[in-house]
């Protein structure tokens, strides 16, 4: 798809393609992320189209089978494949999901693809768009968890603080659940929470 200019009709077509890939519940989440991302994009001066397209496609591949992901990883070029293969859908649907978006929806804008890649792990280096998608995914209107109000308030004031808050929250959750932590999540923590530069 060519998105220049990004028309309401194009958004509609993209929305339909995304909707076909997922449950109603997840699609509702995606629309919530888009609404939040657009509001943040306006506030932090990111083009509307980038925020809308990245938000609409961020969970595009989330309902793909593990087999599809492992095939994509095996055949593609990814940093540290052996390690990536040890993780699962939670990590793959972002890091690898971006390549499904590229291949199937023909979205080639690297800023958008990167925002999809980083949306669950964050990264030490993040663009404003990356931060917007990472944070919008966490605070969209359908989210309900202790601390979500604080996270929403932070996002409106300071995007970096919101990234830090979310990263801390995610790490705490992973530790409590004794889940594996993807190395990039630790890099995100070191940069945005601990302030390592
Ligand atoms: Fe996701
Ligand atoms: Fe999401």
């Amino acid at each position: 798809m060519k998105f220049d200019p990004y028309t309401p009709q194009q958004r509609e077509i993209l929305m339909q393609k995304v909707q076909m890939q997922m449950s109603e519940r997840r699609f509702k989440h995606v629309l919530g992320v888009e609404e939040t991302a657009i509001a943040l994009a306006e506030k932090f001066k990111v083009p509307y189209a980038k925020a809308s397209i990245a938000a609409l496609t961020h969970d595009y591949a989330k309902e793909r089978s593990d087999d599809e992901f492992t095939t994509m990883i095996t055949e593609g070029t990814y940093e540290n494949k052996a390690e990536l293969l040890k993780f699962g859908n939670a990590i793959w649907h972002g890091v690898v999901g971006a390549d499904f978006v590229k291949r199937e929806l023909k979205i080639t804008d690297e800023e958008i693809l990167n925002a999809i890649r980083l949306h669950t792990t964050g990264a030490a280096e993040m663009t404003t768009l990356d931060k917007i998608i990472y944070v919008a995914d966490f605070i969209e209107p359908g989210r309900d968890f202790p601390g979500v109000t604080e996270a929403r308030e932070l996002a409106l004031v300071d995007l970096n603080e919101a990234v830090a808050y979310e990263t801390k929250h995610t790490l705490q959750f992973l530790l409590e659940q004794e889940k594996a932590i993807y190395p990039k999540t630790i890099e995100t923590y070191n940069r945005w929470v601990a302030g390592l530069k």
Side-chain angles (χ1 to χ4, degrees), residues 26 29-30 33 58-59 62 93 119-120 137 143:
R26 174 154 292 117
H29 158 72
V30 164
V33 174
H58 84 283
D59 276 343
K62 184 130 182 186
H93 85 276
H119 88 267
T120 34
D137 189 31
R143 296 283 197 203

Side-chain angles (χ1 to χ4, degrees), residues 79 83 87 91 95 114 117-126 134 167 171 181-192:
E79 254 174 67
E83 181 157 63
F87 283 79
I91 297 300
V95 178
N114 257 328
R117 283 185 189 113
L118 300 181
H119 88 267
T120 34
T121 62
E125 297 294 328
M126 294 171 88
Y134 182 73
T167 304
L171 257 174
I181 297 165
Y182 192 62
K184 219 176 185 83
T185 305
I186 298 175
E187 288 172 24
T188 309
Y189 173 85
N190 283 339
R191 169 67 182 87
W192 299 102

Side-chain angles (χ1 to χ4, degrees), residues 32-48 50-52 55 128-141 151-160 162-163 166:
V33 174
E34 193 210 16
E35 183 191 321
T36 308
I38 288 171
L40 292 174
E42 197 170 327
K43 174 146 179 66
F44 297 106
K45 312 270 179 276
V46 163
Y48 159 85
K50 298 235 184 199
S52 169
T128 307
L129 179 67
D130 297 337
K131 291 174 193 169
I132 285 174
I133 300 302
Y134 182 73
V135 168
D137 189 31
F138 189 65
I139 63 165
E140 60 97 357
R152 285 185 183 127
E153 286 166 2
L154 277 177
L156 291 173
V157 182
D158 188 330
L159 203 49
N160 292 344
V163 168
E166 172 178 346

Side-chain angles (χ1 to χ4, degrees), residues 6-22:
Y6 183 54
T7 63
Q9 289 78 6
Q10 286 190 309
R11 179 177 168 271
E12 195 61 40
I13 292 166
L14 184 59
M15 245 170 65
Q16 282 170 14
K17 288 185 174 171
V18 168
Q19 187 171 24
M20 286 193 303
Q21 297 289 320
M22 58 187 64

